[in-house]
Amino acid sequence: MMFSIRRFIAVLKARNLEFWRDRAALGWNLLFPFLLVAGFAFVFSGEPKAEYKVGVLQQSTVLDKTQHPLLHTRFVEFVPYQTEALAKQRLAHHQIDLLLDLSANRYVVNPDSAKGYLVEKILLQQWPGAKREEVTGQAIRYVDFVLPGILGMNMMFSCLFGVGYVLVRYRKNSVLKRLQATPLTALEFVGAQVVSRLAIVLAIAGVVFVSCQQLFGLMMLGSYMLLLLVAALGALSMIALALLIACRLQSEELTGGLLNMTSWPMMILSGVWFSLEGAPQAVQWFAQLFPLTHLVSAARAVMLDGAGFADVSVQLGVMAVMSLTFLAAAAALFRWAGDGR
């Protein structure tokens, strides 16, 4: 059959009209870039990026810069710590460059840290009488730090788009209408979707984790079973979130926009690429709303710090509550045909 310009233009016109008449999708495509730029501008605005990260022992979670003039040093990020053991652990692993105890007139440095050596020389010009202590430990490579974030991010995309987008496509293509005419219940259908995606996500994450560990000799100080539990609860919470987003929608364009709106802030603010220590308190609090934040922080604690069940129980509890809440809301709002029908 010969190619027909007339048929081509007719289909092109129909598809364009379909998109323009989908007001929700059109509005979202116009609004989302502005929201994304505004979010980046808020999070990454302010002073230039600090070159060094220094821990400060104090009781409050908010840094008190009136303690000493050196806390006003430019291009140095000062991070408050309430627990000396945690701060020394971060210092031993080269995650901070120096630790200050201003009340005791002392500081702690890792002699194996190049940045620690330099920041010590800079700060001692303003604090010449401070007592010096040392702590040593195995440095955490960036690949060790970033792997839990990359695995979590991959799980997030697989859960959100592998469940949410597919569910909307089923509804739009009337697959769900046909299933509704069978004895299959909504609980059975949703349950099968959850278990299927959970098994797939964990299997893929397991293969990637084992392969990377064999290739790069990644640090793993904690329990493999606890890490599996963290991954399972994290994946379950994100699958449940995808079901909640897609429980009524019929527009694939709008669904893609909402899934992007959910995934992009998580990818940026959940600690995938960098630690949130030292970030503004508002950003840290906002990040706690994302299941990926708790998944990544718990996985890092198990892998890099050798954390046990009690150490990550808060993150596990939050992910379990999120999973139950999202699943309950999705079950209550779920419609076979969408649009409230």
Side-chain angles (χ1 to χ4, degrees):
M1 183 179 294
M2 295 291 292
F3 181 84
S4 170
I5 292 293
R6 188 175 181 180
R7 291 194 299 267
F8 171 79
I9 293 176
V11 173
L12 178 64
K13 180 181 178 181
R15 181 65 189 93
N16 288 339
L17 288 174
E18 180 187 7
F19 176 76
W20 286 106
R21 288 170 180 170
D22 189 346
R23 301 303 183 189
L26 176 60
W28 182 249
N29 276 270
L30 293 172
L31 181 63
F32 179 66
F34 290 101
L35 294 177
L36 196 59
V37 172
F40 275 109
F42 171 75
V43 173
F44 297 108
S45 61
E47 296 184 0
K49 182 180 181 296
E51 295 295 330
Y52 305 102
K53 181 178 286 189
V54 174
V56 181
L57 289 176
Q58 62 175 46
Q59 297 298 319
S60 172
T61 58
V62 179
L63 183 66
D64 180 11
K65 290 193 174 184
T66 63
Q67 297 179 76
H68 199 283
L70 64 82
L71 297 181
H72 295 277
T73 305
R74 295 183 64 195
F75 309 118
V76 177
E77 180 183 356
F78 295 95
V79 181
Y81 286 94
Q82 293 77 53
T83 308
E84 183 172 349
L86 175 62
K88 284 186 173 180
Q89 184 182 65
R90 295 282 190 268
L91 181 61
H93 291 326
H94 298 225
Q95 293 174 289
I96 59 175
D97 304 315
L98 200 79
L99 176 62
L100 303 178
D101 186 355
L102 298 172
S103 61
N105 197 40
R106 68 186 179 98
Y107 68 93
V108 188
V109 65
N110 187 334
D112 299 323
S113 169
K115 279 193 168 185
Y117 173 83
L118 293 174
V119 77
E120 178 184 17
K121 298 301 182 184
I122 294 171
L123 294 182
L124 281 182
Q125 295 181 12
Q126 303 179 62
W127 202 22
K131 293 177 288 186
R132 185 180 192 271
E133 296 181 15
E134 292 186 358
V135 62
T136 58
Q138 181 182 358
I140 294 178
R141 301 168 300 170
Y142 185 66
V143 66
D144 296 315
F145 174 83
V146 81
L147 176 71
I150 291 177
L151 287 176
M153 183 183 66
N154 188 56
M155 293 168 64
M156 173 194 69
F157 282 117
S158 181
C159 292
L160 291 181
F161 288 91
V163 173
Y165 203 77
V166 169
L167 185 61
V168 171
R169 191 174 72 240
Y170 282 171
R171 186 178 290 117
K172 185 176 181 179
N173 294 340
S174 299
V175 173
L176 294 185
K177 268 189 174 181
R178 298 187 186 99
L179 290 175
Q180 187 181 18
T182 71
L184 183 71
T185 65
L187 179 61
E188 292 167 347
F189 172 77
V190 170
Q193 298 296 315
V194 170
V195 173
S196 171
R197 180 54 52 173
L198 183 61
I200 292 171
V201 167
L202 292 180
I204 293 174
V207 170
V208 174
F209 174 81
V210 172
S211 301
C212 289
Q213 194 173 40
Q214 294 299 317
L215 289 172
F216 306 114
L218 299 173
M219 183 181 294
M220 178 60 188
L221 302 179
S223 165
Y224 286 95
M225 291 304 298
L226 180 57
L227 185 62
L228 178 62
L229 176 61
V230 169
L233 275 177
L236 181 61
S237 62
M238 289 185 284
I239 291 171
L241 177 59
L243 287 171
L244 178 59
I245 292 172
C247 62
R248 285 176 177 260
L249 298 178
Q250 282 185 306
S251 169
E252 292 179 341
E253 287 86 356
L254 177 59
T255 302
L258 292 176
L259 291 174
N260 278 315
M261 182 190 71
T262 306
S263 59
W264 273 85
M266 279 201 281
M267 185 172 62
I268 300 299
L269 299 179
S270 292
V272 172
W273 308 107
F274 49 83
S275 172
L276 291 178
E277 286 183 342
Q281 286 293 322
V283 174
Q284 295 189 40
W285 291 334
F286 184 63
Q288 298 305 309
L289 300 175
F290 304 135
L292 184 60
T293 301
H294 303 280
L295 168 61
V296 172
S297 63
R300 281 205 181 109
V302 173
M303 293 178 62
L304 306 182
D305 300 329
F309 183 86
D311 300 311
V312 296
S313 58
V314 173
Q315 291 97 325
L316 293 175
V318 170
M319 289 188 291
V321 170
M322 284 183 172
S323 300
L324 293 174
T325 303
F326 295 154
L327 284 174
L333 297 172
F334 181 81
R335 292 295 183 269
W336 293 98
D339 294 333
R341 294 193 296 272

